[in-house]
């Protein structure tokens, strides 16, 4: 995998590029994601059930990096008060059909929410677009906006380095991905003020790390 540029140069932030890509492919992304799960994704269903089981009745849940809010919409249908946040305006246009009036544009590195606002945060497949150098900043923002007895659900890709990858269902489009070392990620989660309660791995189109953690 390639890295984000010359080691001697200023690190490149590919956030703007990713945001523009997701703006363009929002509809196609939603159509691709809104399909029956493959057998390799069954464990995500179990992970989601474990997350939901920890939530208080009518709890306030943030779907951080919500995309089209497929997950957030399911949580809302179960009676939880869900806010969807994403950096892509195109994605939020789609998400607003599932979470009308409850979507916010924002960056994971600087969340537009007050301290201690959420009972739980659901962050699935969006940390993989955050530079390694910003990982701890994002996790600290999650901890800041969670209540003291809150829950963090985190799924991100494991591996080494970072690279641009072609979007298989959108010709000519590409996205920037960051892969993480699991032990380093666990240290960053605990250093941000969380206690890891459950963790696992799922092999799908990538090797995914799943983490359920409590704010401590």
């Amino acid at each position: 995998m390639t890295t984000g540029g010359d080691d001697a140069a200023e690190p490149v932030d590919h956030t703007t590029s990713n945001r523009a890509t997701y703006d363009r492919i929002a509809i196609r992304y939603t159509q691709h994601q809104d399909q029956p799960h493959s057998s390799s994704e069954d464990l995500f269903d179990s992970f989601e059930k474990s997350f939901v089981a920890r939530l208080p009745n009518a709890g306030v849940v943030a779907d951080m990096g919500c995309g089209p809010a497929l997950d957030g919409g399911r949580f809302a249908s179960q009676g939880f008060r869900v806010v969807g946040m994403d950096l892509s305006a195109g994605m939020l246009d789609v998400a607003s059909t599932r979470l009308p009036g409850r979507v916010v544009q924002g960056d994971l590195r600087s969340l537009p929410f007050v301290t201690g606002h959420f009972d739980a945060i659901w962050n699935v497949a969006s940390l993989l677009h955050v530079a390694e150098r910003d990982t701890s900043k994002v996790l600290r923002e999650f901890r800041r906006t969670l209540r003291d007895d809150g829950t963090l659900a985190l799924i991100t890709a494991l591996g080494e380095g970072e690279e641009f990858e072609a979007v298989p269902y959108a010709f000519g489009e590409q996205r920037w991905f960051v892969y993480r070392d699991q032990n380093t990620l666990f240290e960053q989660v605990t250093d941000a003020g969380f206690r890891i309660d459950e963790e696992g791995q799922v092999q799908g189109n990538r090797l995914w790390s799943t983490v359920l953690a409590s704010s401590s």
Side-chain angles (χ1 to χ4, degrees), residues 35-46:
Q35 297 176 2
H37 287 177
S38 68
S39 59
S40 66
E41 294 175 309
D42 286 347
L43 186 57
F44 286 172
D45 294 334
S46 298

Side-chain angles (χ1 to χ4, degrees), residues 157-195:
L158 298 177
E160 296 181 358
E162 61 188 59
E163 66 179 1
F164 278 99
E165 298 179 15
V167 181
Y169 48 85
F171 179 77
E173 299 287 2
Q174 61 179 4
R175 295 169 296 177
W176 177 68
F177 291 94
V178 178
Y179 294 86
R180 290 178 162 77
D181 173 77
Q182 189 172 55
N183 291 331
T184 301
L185 177 64
F186 289 173
E187 290 177 3
Q188 291 167 326
V189 170
T190 55
D191 287 348
F194 291 97
R195 181 187 70 246

Side-chain angles (χ1 to χ4, degrees), residues 123-197:
N123 181 243
V124 173
S126 60
L127 190 65
L128 80 170
H129 294 314
V130 173
E132 173 60 29
R133 64 183 178 273
D134 291 329
T135 306
S136 293
K137 182 185 298 185
V138 170
L139 293 169
R140 288 194 298 269
E141 279 291 273
F142 288 166
R143 177 61 189 90
R144 179 186 66 79
T145 55
L146 272 174
R147 295 172 183 167
D148 287 341
D149 56 349
T151 296
L152 170 65
L154 175 66
I155 299 179
T156 196
L158 298 177
E160 296 181 358
E162 61 188 59
E163 66 179 1
F164 278 99
E165 298 179 15
V167 181
Y169 48 85
F171 179 77
E173 299 287 2
Q174 61 179 4
R175 295 169 296 177
W176 177 68
F177 291 94
V178 178
Y179 294 86
R180 290 178 162 77
D181 173 77
Q182 189 172 55
N183 291 331
T184 301
L185 177 64
F186 289 173
E187 290 177 3
Q188 291 167 326
V189 170
T190 55
D191 287 348
F194 291 97
R195 181 187 70 246
I196 296 175
D197 300 318

